[in-house]
Amino acid sequence: MQCIEGRYQANRVPIFITLKDFAEAPKKPDILKFIVQLLSSCGGTHVGATVEKLLKQGKAFVLLDGLDEVREEDTKRILRQIREFSDLFHTNQFVITCRIAAKEYTYQSFTEVEMADFDEKQIAIFAQNWFQLTDPVKSQRFIQKLKENKPIQELASSPLLLTLLCLVFGDSGDFPANRSELYQEGLDVLLKKWDAKRNIERDQVYKNLSLQRKEDLLSQIALTTFEHKNYFFKQKMAEAYIVEFICNLRDADLDPEALKLDSEAVLKSIEAQHGLLVERAKGIYSFSHLTFHEYFVAREIVANSDYETLIEHITETRWREVFLLTVSMMRKSNELLLLMKQKVNSFIARDENLQKFLYWVNQKALSIQSNYKPAAIRAIYYAIGFSSYSPIDYNNELIKNLDLGRILDKVLDSHIARKFNDGLEHNVAVDLELALSLNYDPHSPFFNLSVAIEFIDKSEVRHLLEKLRKQTYSQAWVDQLRAIMIEYRNIGHDWQFSNVQKDLLKQYYDANKLLVDCLNSDCYISREVRQEIEDSLFLPIKS
């Protein structure tokens, strides 16, 4: 289109050839005859002479599209014809498109370039063009939905995966609320419908695997590599995993040489046909997107009910999405979520000092009258109590997920608003400012203390803090503030945690956050189990 409009290669005439159509054309014409047939069907006279003249003068812009879509039995013939034709008419401009994975040949006179990821503007243009004829309004909804869902938005930067998202969105006008369903729908397109929509046949050993078996194979590779932190793995390793899988199939040829050849063919087919595995460097493979790697890991865990293995990774950030995908795939996630809760409790169950800390958290939360969930109040006091050892997170997602977002927002705006509509908001504001004063920059600790003074109703406490505010900062100053906080607010205790205990408290907090994220995801869990877990969050373990 750019060439026709004179904006690119303006002195040339574009000739577009779909290589799949050329390869399967009746009587197998050479490229020159196929071009003449193509243009003759559009009308006109003396087409053959005109085309030959253009080519000899070097005025043709020949676009050879979709080399990876050519059937295996036609590939050698088509490659030979392209090479001979481009050598014969080398003064013309030639462009060949092909999936990276399907390329096992090089042309000396061609320069290789790779499609870059789309940016946000290009994604929007693509979506507008995609839905323009069928439903222009749908493109705006598509773009808005992408903005609301960061993981899906990341997929959209790949032109192939963006096409996949448009196909899924086009059917229903929305993305499934359950992300695992979206990935399943997308994989269905990639593994089955993608070729079917374009009437492409694959004649390799991989074709004989059912859709279910293809997903099983990819799931097995995903879990094994993910467990070993192998986001990138050697070709020989991938082929070994494939051999392990296909040798267990009913009609498998167990001859070692046949298995080796089949494993190579299967790997290349996965790469060439739908790009779920890609060769990142010579002999080094990975899943095309981390999302697919994580999805297949979760799928394998659910298929084998291997929840005990998953639980061991509850504190590892890189497993977070696997947990969320796993609970969303399960028919009923009670078992996994209860196992997670048991694992969370195990971090602090045997440590008396940590149990005392949780006992204080609960007592502090019980002392405040509020309509908010008790677990949410415990969560915020856990953060405040632990602030001596770890900074308070102003954007605390755990607390927000437990319905305390409004409290934090009001507290953080308190320097301006100076008013609260709830007793909990007032108490959190006072305790948060005092905690920040206790752990503030030694050179300027008084700003938070001044704010805390404004929130305190008792004149006796205000007087003590005003007096302290005028003194010079020192260890004695810290000790006095701590004593006031303990006596009048029951906060600021020096728990004297060891480094090991600090690590356990951090793991306990992070694991609770993951547990709450799973509860708030699109998982199916019985109301009783949900209530049981929520009611026991941040509580000491009963002996």
Side-chain angles (χ1 to χ4, degrees):
M1 297 303 296
Q2 295 275 335
C3 184
I4 289 170
E5 293 169 2
R7 293 190 285 170
Y8 180 78
Q9 297 282 338
N11 61 328
R12 299 183 192 272
V13 176
I15 301 172
F16 186 90
I17 300 173
T18 301
L19 286 173
K20 179 180 181 296
D21 293 343
F22 167 58
E24 298 172 16
K27 298 182 180 180
K28 299 180 180 178
D30 60 25
I31 295 180
L32 181 56
K33 286 182 181 178
F34 183 76
I35 293 172
V36 171
Q37 290 174 10
L38 202 63
L39 297 182
S40 295
S41 65
C42 301
T45 57
H46 309 297
V47 174
T50 302
V51 169
E52 197 161 349
K53 184 178 178 182
L54 281 173
L55 290 166
K56 286 179 178 178
Q57 292 178 348
K59 291 188 176 180
F61 182 33
V62 185
L63 302 166
L64 304 163
D65 187 53
L67 185 55
D68 58 295
E69 298 178 6
V70 175
R71 293 181 304 190
E72 186 178 13
E73 65 265 28
D74 295 325
T75 301
K76 287 185 179 179
R77 174 172 61 88
I78 299 306
L79 289 175
R80 186 187 72 251
Q81 288 212 32
I82 292 174
R83 183 176 290 107
E84 291 173 354
F85 189 75
S86 60
D87 286 344
L88 180 61
F89 299 109
H90 60 87
T91 56
N92 296 277
Q93 181 75 56
F94 291 86
V95 176
I96 308 174
T97 64
C98 179
R99 293 288 305 280
I100 297 170
K103 182 190 70 61
E104 293 190 5
Y105 44 81
T106 54
Y107 295 133
Q108 288 184 339
S109 54
F110 279 71
T111 300
E112 291 187 23
V113 293
E114 183 178 339
M115 181 74 77
D117 285 346
F118 280 173
D119 59 28
E120 194 171 318
K121 182 179 178 182
Q122 290 168 322
I123 291 171
I125 293 171
F126 185 100
Q128 287 164 4
N129 291 337
W130 182 279
F131 295 110
Q132 185 174 12
L133 295 178
T134 56
D135 188 351
V137 177
K138 189 174 282 187
S139 66
Q140 298 304 316
R141 292 206 305 271
F142 177 85
I143 294 165
Q144 184 58 40
K145 290 289 184 181
L146 279 185
K147 289 179 178 178
E148 294 170 2
N149 197 317
K150 188 167 174 36
I152 297 178
Q153 190 176 17
E154 289 177 1
L155 293 180
S157 63
S158 162
L160 174 64
L161 299 181
L162 178 55
T163 303
L164 180 155
L165 292 173
C166 287
L167 285 169
V168 171
F169 195 86
D171 287 340
S172 60
D174 201 353
F175 298 119
N178 186 318
R179 278 197 298 130
S180 64
E181 289 180 22
L182 168 66
Y183 301 146
Q184 182 57 56
E185 286 185 32
L187 288 168
D188 191 39
V189 172
L190 283 178
L191 291 169
K192 184 175 66 178
K193 296 178 182 176
W194 184 254
D195 280 352
K197 280 179 179 287
R198 299 176 297 166
N199 195 29
I200 298 170
E201 292 186 7
R202 308 291 186 179
D203 293 322
Q204 295 176 337
V205 62
Y206 187 58
K207 178 187 173 184
N208 296 325
L209 295 178
S210 66
L211 177 64
Q212 172 80 20
R213 290 291 170 253
K214 289 176 182 178
E215 292 185 350
D216 290 344
L217 169 59
L218 289 162
S219 298
Q220 189 168 302
I221 294 173
L223 179 59
T224 305
T225 53
F226 202 85
E227 281 187 315
H228 292 92
K229 302 181 181 180
N230 292 329
Y231 298 109
F232 299 90
F233 39 90
K234 292 182 179 179
Q235 179 175 339
K236 294 297 182 185
M237 185 186 297
E239 289 172 359
Y241 296 146
I242 293 169
V243 166
E244 182 183 346
F245 182 85
I246 61 178
C247 72
N248 291 311
L249 298 176
R250 181 167 55 86
D251 297 323
D253 186 344
L254 299 181
D255 176 70
E257 187 60 31
L259 284 172
K260 181 177 183 299
L261 292 173
D262 283 352
S263 67
E264 292 174 358
V266 167
L267 179 60
K268 288 298 179 183
S269 295
I270 295 172
E271 188 183 11
Q273 292 176 28
H274 44 64
L276 287 169
L277 293 178
V278 295
E279 190 174 21
R280 301 294 187 181
K282 185 64 176 175
I284 302 296
Y285 281 79
S286 77
F287 280 84
S288 58
H289 198 283
L290 180 58
T291 292
F292 289 133
H293 199 163
E294 293 165 336
Y295 170 82
F296 280 117
V297 172
R299 184 184 180 278
E300 183 73 354
I301 289 168
V302 173
N304 296 307
S305 300
D306 192 13
Y307 307 124
E308 295 284 354
T309 297
L310 179 61
I311 292 299
E312 293 307 310
H313 302 287
I314 196 169
T315 60
E316 298 177 46
T317 304
R318 70 189 190 92
W319 283 82
R320 179 180 181 276
E321 289 300 317
V322 176
F323 274 91
L324 293 170
L325 287 167
T326 300
V327 295
S328 70
M329 287 184 200
M330 295 174 69
R331 168 64 183 83
K332 199 171 186 179
S333 54
N334 289 8
E335 179 187 354
L336 176 55
L337 289 164
L338 285 171
L339 283 172
M340 290 175 70
K341 186 66 177 74
Q342 290 174 18
K343 186 66 176 179
V344 168
N345 289 346
S346 71
F347 292 126
I348 44 87
R350 298 179 182 177
D351 192 303
E352 188 176 343
N353 201 29
L354 299 185
Q355 286 296 305
K356 286 180 179 178
F357 174 66
L358 287 181
Y359 178 79
W360 166 81
V361 167
N362 188 39
Q363 290 302 306
K364 182 65 182 175
L366 289 172
S367 70
I368 298 171
Q369 297 297 317
S370 174
N371 293 323
Y372 287 97
K373 293 179 182 178
I377 305 172
R378 292 195 295 270
I380 199 167
Y381 276 103
Y382 183 99
I384 290 175
F386 192 52
S387 64
S388 299
Y389 309 97
S390 180
I392 294 172
D393 180 6
Y394 283 116
N395 296 308
N396 192 308
E397 291 181 17
L398 171 60
I399 296 167
K400 289 182 179 180
N401 283 343
L402 287 166
D403 293 343
L404 264 182
R406 285 174 292 169
I407 294 178
L408 279 187
D409 290 340
K410 289 186 178 181
V411 168
L412 296 175
D413 290 338
S414 62
H415 301 303
I416 301 172
R418 300 290 195 275
K419 64 179 181 180
F420 304 97
N421 299 318
D422 186 282
L424 177 60
E425 296 166 8
H426 179 270
N427 280 291
V428 168
V430 174
D431 293 339
L432 183 60
E433 297 300 346
L434 286 171
L436 288 171
S437 298
L438 189 63
N439 301 291
Y440 209 60
D441 182 343
H443 301 294
S444 56
F446 306 113
F447 176 73
N448 294 95
L449 190 56
S450 299
V451 175
I453 291 169
E454 291 187 38
F455 296 151
I456 291 175
D457 298 326
K458 287 187 177 180
S459 58
E460 181 183 359
V461 183
R462 289 174 64 95
H463 174 73
L464 290 171
L465 291 176
E466 282 285 7
K467 184 178 178 182
L468 188 61
R469 190 172 68 87
K470 298 173 183 177
Q471 297 177 16
T472 305
Y473 180 84
S474 64
Q475 185 57 48
W477 186 94
V478 173
D479 292 340
Q480 287 182 62
L481 176 59
R482 189 184 297 278
I484 294 169
M485 290 166 64
I486 292 171
E487 181 177 356
Y488 293 99
R489 300 294 308 176
N490 190 22
I491 62 170
H493 300 276
D494 185 2
W495 299 99
Q496 298 184 335
F497 294 132
S498 67
N499 289 333
V500 172
Q501 289 173 324
K502 292 175 192 175
D503 289 341
L504 286 173
L505 285 170
K506 180 70 166 58
Q507 290 176 14
Y508 177 80
Y509 180 86
D510 291 342
N512 266 304
K513 182 181 181 303
L514 176 59
L515 178 57
V516 172
D517 288 345
C518 288
L519 285 172
N520 287 339
S521 70
D522 190 37
C523 69
Y524 185 83
I525 177 175
S526 69
R527 191 175 298 276
E528 294 77 18
V529 171
R530 180 185 292 275
Q531 196 64 51
E532 176 188 338
I533 292 174
E534 285 192 0
D535 287 348
S536 62
L537 289 170
F538 295 98
L539 278 178
I541 310 299
K542 293 180 180 179
S543 56

